[in-house]
Amino acid sequence: MDKTYQPEQIETRWYERWEADNRFAPSGEGEPFSIMIPPPNVTGSLHMGHAFQDTIMDTLTRWRRMQGRNTLWQVGTDHAGIATQMLVERKVAAEEGKSRHDLGREAFTDKIWEWKHESGGEITRQLRRMGASVDWSRERFTMDDGFYKAVQEVFVRLHEENLIYRGKRLVNWDPTLHTAISDLEVENRDQQGSFWHFRYPLADGVTTDDGKGYLVVATTRPETLLGDSAVAVNPEDPRYASLVGKFVELPLVGRRIPVVADEHADMEKGSGCVKITPAHDFNDYEVGKRQGLPLINVFTQDAAVRETAEAFDLQGRPLADVDPSLPAAYAGLGRFEARERIVADMDAAGLLEQVETVSNTLPYGDRSGDVIEPLLTDQWFVAVEELAKPAIAAVENGDIEFVPKNYENMYFAWMRDLQDWCISRQLWWGHRIPAWYDAEGNVYVARSEAEAREKHGLPADLELTQDEDVLDTWFSSGLWTFGTLGWPEQTEELATFHPTSVLVTGFDIIFFWVARMIMMTLKFTGEVPFKQVYVHGLVRDGQGQKMSKSKGNVLDPIDLIDGIALETLVEKRTGNMMQPQKAKAIAKATRAEFPEGIEPHGTDALRFTFLSQATTGRDIKFDMGRLDGYRNFCNKLWNASRYVLMNAEGQDTGIDGGEVELSLADRWIVSRLQQTQAQVTRAMEEFRFDHASQALYDFVWNEYCDWYLELSKPVLWDEAASDAAKRGTRRTLVRVLEAILRLAHPMMPFISEEIWQRVAPLAGTRAADGDSIMNQPWPLADEALVDEAATRDIEWLKGVIVAVRNIRAEMNIAPGKPLEALLTKGGPEDAERLAANRLFLSKLAKLERVEWLDDPEQAPLSATQLVGEMEVLVPMADLIDKDTELARLAKEIDKQEKLIGGIEKKLGNESFVAKAPEAVVEKERAKLADFEAARRLLVEQREKIEAL
RNA sequence: AGGACCAUAGCUCAGUUGGUUAGAGCGCCACGUUGACAUCGUGGAGGUCGGCGGUUCAAAUCCGCCUGGUCCUACCA
């Protein structure tokens, strides 16, 4: 093995080998275990969130595979309608100077397919770098042929059951992208805005009770005035009771609109009167429904003012009896320009009463960044109420369990207040809606045009055109768990791997994806999509900031793995920015944070860092310090393995027979291994990857390396040790390491495999050449090997060694200087332990002589430490500095006295003694005895020194 | 406005059902190249567990209030 751990030389090599050997495919044996990858955007690239999530999924997958489960980690990518279309649109504009309309639908979607084939491999390559053991042979895409079938089937069946319908509704309209989007794709941002108070003159000479000829309404959106169809007052409001049923004359437009009584009007707010614009505001739409008001649309799809309005009734039928004329002055103006003009005109007409500055929230499209406009359009909807009921029940009755549990509340809250889901998108990239229209506008929904004709008995010469719209991306990804397994065919995979075992996902897509998967999957398979949902948090930067290009704090997981030079990193963070003015600050901050760039850490270290920070349900602040620390951990494991191999390769490791004798240290480390195995397994079962990684780290570094390897040296290097003892130690070294590697493998797949290949043959556990650690059994704890007595003895031994080291540190004695030590007081057990462990003691504490002293009175002046009842003495009369030592002792005595005081107080409390469990009281008494013994020793020591 | 989560060492975080002398890693200080590892070893310093109150023999842990932070949902005519 190389002297230093160099991950880059190991990782790609092993991944290629595993993939070539088809090790990621299900074994076909054992209880099934399956995970569906949340499909990343096909044209995307791997970010920290993916890397984190993939690490968790791979750790679970590798662990279950080693446990002998029939394991499938299903991989695939999402076509990501809007995101992908926008990306290619920009690319085509930049490269060819053409818009998608210049190309036309077919040519443009061809471009996207081209781009998909060209760049779609990026994310899958990166997934391989992460070590993801997904079954590539079953890779799917949400727009592949199979998915096309599944999507059509679902759409048609939901339509047949009236759970999908088409209608003219108010939807969130993105004026830039020219498509409807769902509520979830709207991002609300706080703004400072104006709040205009307008006077609407009362018609027919009517006046208010206090004699005014107008009503005051206030709005943040003056441009929608053009589409007002009423003014509402609260039915309980005495001020306006007499006006209900009367009319106002809509300023600038001249339309007569009624004053209606509706509870939507809040008496406390403003004047208590509110303008109602059912075609441009979601609340007003509801008022319109209640009051039977016309829907007057005044905007085009660009959110510009129309030449004439369109009026509809609530069923979306054109209304003839509403005057559609609009003032010519605003025609064609964008909504914001129109706003300014209307305010100015109202002001000029003396109808602007007041302008307030208010903070309000505006809806933005999460893709386009444009302000979303509620717009009346023809769209397809899923009626979700019926679908939601069983989906709620599945979580209530425990068929689906969220980890952590508190996300269930979030799920319930959302599911119990669901609006119908607008699923049509006015895009070109996606699953085209399987609906056809004849010239009269009749709709025929079917799996194909042919089926539509057949189903509805349409003549062959009747011209049909397919709906231009595509489905929301989440409509198809909602079918992911069963669509990937071959549904609507009843495949063997579906029978075996569905429902899937666990979904690993971020809380941010519980609504987008998780909830919809549950609804769709229950509806079409009668099964839940997954039994557990492990919800993880967001990966943030070290300061807790969200990583974003505009903040310039993005870390690329691949850069953490391979390392990156400073200049390259700065270029990457500042190049191609939306706001180039920020580049300078970002470059500066980057240079300050990474003066040397980022050095390579390897995938295993990155994975281990993610796991160690994976506390349930909480965002993680990515810590570069820990990444360094775990890279060092890999190095530690590497070097420990070198030591083991140096001492075991070509040697007798006791696997071919021959007498084997296990030392105390051997029995102890084997015992501790059992406990660690149990701990790690339990942590994995509970999704506590932080605990799993911590338990492994502790065991490997603090016990196996720090103590066991050191304790093995005296046995292996001592001429006097028997062959049986050497064999025993070699065998233990190798076998414990081999088990460590298996325990580590789900978390650190590469380094564990690399070392295991060398170690396994020595441990006698490898069946044949060409085996991989991937398919070895997960280490099981064997209770019978837990040896409490050995643990106590080793604790004693460590205590004595640490005592001597402490004395060296306190007395400023060089670490290497051979010393003499005496052990005294204590019991017969201590004397026996000394006799049994003299070799270990003298080597590890660097003692040239260590003896038992029967009579403590005989002790020479020594530096002392206490191990239990026993005293460790290092005679050194000539080395002790009287004053320093007295000062140190005073401090120590003081410390003990404080401890004693605390416990005495506790034990002096009658209710404590009376009410606390006996065991707790006993424990306190024992502690008191320990502290008192320590104090006694210190006091005696002080007397001796004072006597000097 | 409603809800969720968080607050423990300089930093990033553990702390199971209330009982530990409150832990780890990184950082910091001192010392150290004897044959696994300086990506290391040994020893050490550093915390009134956000604040106030309550329950209890006993509170970092349970309850209430407050402060600070993060996020979600809704509303804002």
Side-chain angles (χ1 to χ4, degrees):
Chain A
M1 283 171 79
D2 290 336
K3 196 175 171 189
T4 32
Y5 162 63
Q6 280 164 326
E8 60 273 32
Q9 305 201 346
I10 300 171
E11 296 180 348
T12 22
R13 173 160 51 85
W14 274 116
Y15 196 89
E16 282 166 11
R17 176 77 182 277
W18 291 329
E19 195 176 345
D21 290 351
N22 199 28
R23 298 222 179 250
F24 305 147
S27 65
E29 287 163 20
E31 188 191 342
F33 177 82
S34 53
I35 297 190
M36 299 285 154
I37 200 169
N41 290 2
V42 64
T43 57
S45 58
L46 193 85
H47 59 236
M48 292 292 275
H50 292 126
F52 177 43
Q53 190 174 63
D54 294 336
T55 297
I56 289 168
M57 285 186 280
D58 193 49
T59 300
L60 287 170
T61 301
R62 287 178 184 272
W63 169 55
R64 293 299 194 187
R65 192 183 286 124
M66 289 177 80
Q67 282 187 327
R69 305 274 289 265
N70 183 20
T71 303
L72 169 66
W73 183 7
Q74 172 69 46
V75 70
T77 49
D78 192 277
H79 67 277
I82 297 183
T84 307
Q85 173 166 327
M86 280 176 72
L87 196 133
V88 175
E89 234 174 326
R90 272 204 293 265
K91 196 172 116 80
V92 169
E95 287 172 8
E96 305 176 29
K98 288 183 182 166
S99 77
R100 70 182 155 109
H101 299 282
D102 294 336
L103 291 177
R105 184 166 190 148
E106 207 172 321
F108 180 73
T109 46
D110 283 350
K111 285 268 177 207
I112 302 184
W113 280 109
E114 260 174 51
W115 174 245
K116 187 229 165 205
H117 291 127
E118 216 175 282
S119 77
E122 173 77 3
I123 189 120
T124 55
R125 268 194 304 280
Q126 291 172 321
L127 210 49
R128 287 175 164 90
R129 288 303 311 275
M130 288 305 299
S133 59
V134 297
D135 185 357
W136 291 109
S137 71
R138 294 165 199 258
E139 184 178 356
R140 297 295 299 271
F141 177 52
T142 54
M143 264 175 61
D144 62 27
D145 292 343
F147 249 88
Y148 184 63
K149 252 191 209 157
V151 165
Q152 278 186 321
E153 185 68 24
V154 165
F155 188 95
V156 171
R157 277 166 60 178
L158 287 175
H159 184 260
E160 283 167 357
E161 294 184 46
N162 290 322
L163 292 171
I164 280 184
Y165 62 91
R166 184 169 185 267
K168 193 179 280 295
R169 295 293 151 91
L170 204 54
V171 296
N172 296 300
W173 182 261
D174 189 317
T176 298
L177 298 175
H178 283 194
T179 181
I181 59 177
S182 75
D183 296 347
L184 290 172
E185 292 159 282
V186 174
E187 202 179 293
N188 293 305
R189 294 189 213 152
D190 288 327
Q191 307 276 319
Q192 285 289 316
S194 296
F195 194 41
W196 290 272
H197 297 248
F198 292 139
R199 292 177 180 175
Y200 279 21
L202 286 154
D204 312 318
V206 174
T207 59
T208 60
D209 290 357
D210 54 356
K212 291 190 178 115
Y214 56 85
L215 290 176
V216 174
V217 298
T219 181
T220 54
R221 306 209 46 205
E223 65 278 15
T224 64
L225 172 155
L226 303 174
D228 284 357
S229 51
V231 167
V233 297
N234 193 283
E236 310 284 314
D237 196 334
R239 293 171 294 178
Y240 305 111
S242 66
L243 297 177
V244 173
K246 303 286 193 290
F247 290 83
V248 296
E249 187 182 298
L250 188 58
L252 310 180
V253 183
R255 194 161 59 229
R256 272 165 65 90
I257 57 174
V259 177
V260 299
D262 191 282
E263 67 259 23
H264 172 62
D266 183 341
M267 290 190 274
E268 310 295 318
K269 273 192 187 162
S271 65
C273 303
V274 54
K275 68 195 261 319
I276 301 298
T277 322
H280 295 287
D281 181 284
F282 289 102
N283 282 313
D284 292 3
Y285 183 78
E286 295 302 316
V287 177
K289 271 207 261 185
R290 284 196 291 271
Q291 304 293 335
L293 299 171
L295 310 176
I296 302 170
N297 175 39
V298 299
F299 288 148
T300 66
Q301 297 201 339
D302 293 312
V305 178
R306 298 174 58 92
E307 285 180 24
T308 55
E310 304 174 291
F312 301 95
D313 69 10
L314 290 159
Q315 279 68 48
R317 289 176 300 233
L319 276 178
D321 60 341
V322 173
D323 176 4
S325 51
L326 293 174
Y330 311 122
L333 293 183
R335 52 194 159 155
F336 302 116
E337 221 176 320
R339 175 181 302 176
E340 280 178 37
R341 293 281 292 276
I342 285 172
V343 169
D345 291 349
M346 290 294 280
D347 195 13
L351 296 174
L352 176 62
E353 188 163 288
Q354 187 196 347
V355 186
E356 271 182 87
T357 302
V358 292
S359 58
N360 59 352
T361 27
L362 284 186
Y364 286 83
D366 64 357
R367 291 292 171 184
S368 67
D370 197 4
V371 177
I372 292 306
E373 193 63 43
L375 201 70
L376 207 53
T377 50
D378 290 307
Q379 303 289 349
W380 292 90
F381 294 86
V382 174
V384 288
E385 202 183 336
E386 284 308 307
L387 297 172
K389 280 178 192 162
I392 291 168
V395 176
E396 277 174 341
N397 67 25
D399 290 348
I400 298 173
E401 182 199 0
F402 280 71
V403 180
K405 200 127 187 112
N406 53 299
Y407 283 104
E408 288 180 5
N409 291 327
M410 187 167 145
Y411 172 81
F412 288 138
W414 191 69
M415 291 297 280
R416 286 177 181 140
D417 188 29
L418 268 187
Q419 304 293 311
D420 283 355
W421 174 17
C422 175
I423 49 171
S424 43
R425 295 290 180 274
Q426 289 65 52
L427 304 172
W428 289 352
W429 177 240
H431 286 281
R432 194 133 168 211
I433 290 175
W436 283 262
Y437 303 89
D438 60 22
E440 286 158 28
N442 295 310
V443 190
Y444 308 102
V445 169
R447 290 165 187 82
S448 64
E449 186 177 330
E451 192 190 271
R453 287 180 191 278
E454 194 190 315
K455 212 163 137 187
H456 297 94
L458 305 175
D461 60 346
L462 180 74
E463 199 175 316
L464 291 177
T465 50
Q466 190 175 356
D467 196 308
E468 294 289 320
D469 291 351
V470 301
L471 288 164
D472 182 4
T473 299
W474 300 101
F475 188 88
S476 47
S477 49
L479 319 180
W480 188 243
T481 64
F482 56 103
T484 49
L485 296 175
W487 190 90
E489 312 301 324
Q490 287 304 314
T491 60
E492 208 185 308
E493 284 85 352
L494 199 57
T496 307
F497 295 112
H498 204 274
T500 66
S501 309
V502 54
L503 178 77
V504 176
T505 190
F507 67 91
D508 48 331
I509 57 172
I510 288 181
F511 304 146
F512 275 110
W513 192 45
V514 179
R516 283 151 179 185
M517 266 199 287
I518 297 174
M519 290 193 281
M520 293 293 219
T521 311
L522 279 167
K523 174 74 186 167
F524 288 97
T525 68
E527 294 178 333
V528 294
F530 27 72
K531 296 168 197 155
Q532 285 182 303
V533 185
Y534 174 80
V535 183
H536 65 252
L538 226 58
V539 182
R540 297 169 175 277
D541 75 1
Q543 277 71 252
Q545 299 283 315
K546 244 185 203 172
M547 290 191 193
S548 72
K549 176 85 182 153
S550 63
K551 285 196 192 110
N553 60 350
V554 173
L555 289 171
D556 183 334
I558 302 298
D559 293 342
L560 299 176
I561 293 171
D562 291 338
I564 184 169
L566 176 61
E567 292 313 315
T568 320
L569 179 62
V570 169
E571 169 54 29
K572 205 167 160 177
R573 283 185 165 187
T574 57
N576 197 17
M577 294 199 63
M578 301 281 232
Q579 300 157 286
Q581 69 275 16
K582 286 187 178 168
K584 221 174 155 184
I586 289 172
K588 199 178 158 192
T590 303
R591 285 175 205 285
E593 194 182 353
F594 304 103
E596 315 285 332
I598 298 173
E599 45 182 22
H601 293 85
T603 300
D604 285 327
L606 178 62
R607 288 172 59 122
F608 207 78
T609 308
F610 282 133
L611 293 168
S612 76
Q613 293 202 268
T615 311
T616 40
R618 190 162 138 154
D619 286 356
I620 67 173
K621 291 186 206 169
F622 189 79
D623 187 354
M624 288 296 294
R626 288 179 85 152
L627 180 62
D628 290 339
Y630 295 128
R631 192 262 328 266
N632 294 354
F633 177 58
C634 291
N635 187 61
K636 188 76 180 175
L637 181 59
W638 183 264
N639 279 296
S641 304
R642 285 181 60 226
Y643 167 80
V644 172
L645 290 173
M646 281 168 62
N647 287 288
E649 271 180 332
Q651 309 269 339
D652 181 355
T653 53
I655 56 174
D656 305 319
E659 197 193 341
V660 165
E661 181 190 315
L662 295 184
S663 72
L664 169 62
D666 295 334
R667 283 179 283 121
W668 165 72
I669 198 70
V670 167
S671 169
R672 286 290 306 125
L673 173 66
Q674 307 312 311
Q675 293 168 325
T676 306
Q677 287 168 345
Q679 251 180 307
V680 173
T681 303
R682 195 175 149 209
M684 297 281 248
E685 281 163 355
E686 293 170 342
F687 297 96
R688 288 307 300 264
F689 304 105
D690 55 335
H691 288 171
S693 59
Q694 175 87 50
L696 179 71
Y697 184 99
D698 272 349
F699 179 71
V700 170
W701 201 312
N702 301 332
E703 302 197 278
Y704 187 71
C705 292
D706 282 354
W707 288 101
Y708 181 67
L709 294 191
E710 294 308 317
L711 290 167
S712 74
K713 288 174 185 175
V715 179
L716 296 179
W717 298 347
D718 183 22
E719 301 283 317
S722 70
D723 284 351
K726 290 188 179 181
R727 241 190 315 264
T729 291
R730 281 195 209 104
R731 193 179 81 174
T732 308
L733 274 173
V734 166
R735 287 207 174 162
V736 173
L737 177 58
E738 196 273 341
I740 286 171
L741 294 169
R742 279 184 287 135
L743 211 50
H745 181 257
M747 300 185 249
M748 306 194 291
F750 297 110
I751 189 174
S752 55
E753 175 78 297
E754 176 75 11
I755 301 172
W756 187 84
Q757 293 293 331
R758 300 277 298 267
V759 170
L762 302 171
T765 49
R766 181 154 67 164
D769 261 10
D771 271 0
S772 163
I773 192 173
M774 279 188 64
N775 308 100
Q776 299 305 309
W778 177 249
L780 288 178
D782 180 353
E783 276 296 315
L785 292 174
V786 173
D787 187 337
E788 298 291 354
T791 302
R792 282 193 299 274
D793 287 348
I794 288 286
E795 287 311 315
W796 178 90
L797 186 62
K798 284 159 76 170
V800 177
I801 292 164
V802 168
V804 176
R805 286 177 184 165
N806 269 318
I807 289 170
R808 283 182 192 271
E810 276 160 9
M811 297 297 143
N812 261 322
I813 304 166
K817 183 183 157 115
L819 291 179
E820 246 178 71
L822 298 167
L823 305 186
T824 189
K825 296 194 181 168
E829 214 181 23
D830 292 316
E832 281 164 28
R833 279 170 169 156
L834 169 61
N837 295 294
R838 187 168 261 120
L839 178 65
F840 287 141
L841 261 185
S842 49
K843 291 285 181 198
L844 270 69
K846 307 235 163 49
L847 298 173
E848 60 185 1
R849 212 168 77 87
V850 50
E851 295 302 334
W852 185 260
L853 184 67
D854 281 322
D855 180 5
E857 300 299 320
Q858 302 285 310
L861 183 66
S862 308
T864 62
Q865 289 270 319
L866 205 59
V867 176
E869 304 276 289
M870 185 183 74
E871 289 177 16
V872 177
L873 311 178
V874 176
M876 48 186 328
D878 48 338
L879 282 178
I880 289 176
D881 178 276
K882 193 174 167 184
D883 293 338
T884 326
E885 185 61 6
L886 282 175
R888 188 184 72 81
L889 286 168
K891 209 173 131 195
E892 284 297 313
I893 290 167
D894 190 53
K895 188 175 148 193
Q896 293 302 320
E897 275 173 353
K898 277 198 184 118
L899 291 170
I900 290 164
I903 293 192
E904 276 176 343
K905 196 174 153 201
K906 228 183 209 179
L907 287 168
N909 182 340
E910 278 172 36
S911 18
F912 171 71
V913 180
K915 293 188 183 173
E918 190 55 30
V920 173
V921 179
E922 268 317 304
K923 206 168 149 195
E924 293 297 319
R925 292 208 173 101
K927 273 197 277 182
L928 182 63
D930 284 352
F931 296 151
E932 281 176 338
R935 181 181 56 181
R936 215 176 308 123
L937 173 68
L938 291 161
V939 170
E940 282 168 19
Q941 182 75 357
R942 183 174 61 188
E943 283 164 5
K944 282 185 196 158
I945 306 256
E946 275 168 346
L948 280 179

